[in-house]
Amino acid sequence: MTAEGSSDAPRPATRRARDAARLAKIFGEVLPETTGDERGDETESLSDDWLRSQVPPHHGS
């Protein structure tokens, strides 16, 4: 088998970028650019507020 057909052969940067863009288009962002620690608690509190607002009145608070 030649080096071109092996998975260990380095791919050109343009092909890697194209492949990454294609995967992102199909599957979305697999891993976020930042971690939850870097983003802070804003995302969590927004989802908590939304969840609390979805509780039906007969369930109380």
Side-chain angles (χ1 to χ4, degrees), residues 9-61:
R11 294 180 293 163
T14 55
R15 183 170 179 190
R16 283 194 306 266
R18 186 178 68 229
D19 290 347
R22 183 172 177 237
L23 287 173
K25 183 178 179 183
I26 295 170
F27 297 108
E29 185 180 11
V30 177
L31 295 174
E33 292 293 322
T34 58
T35 65
D37 293 342
E38 294 170 324
R39 288 187 303 266
D41 294 331
E42 182 178 324
T43 304
E44 183 178 318
S45 67
L46 290 176
S47 64
D48 287 346
D49 292 340
W50 179 87
L51 183 61
R52 286 186 193 102
S53 71
Q54 301 305 308
V55 176
H58 63 275
H59 283 281
S61 26

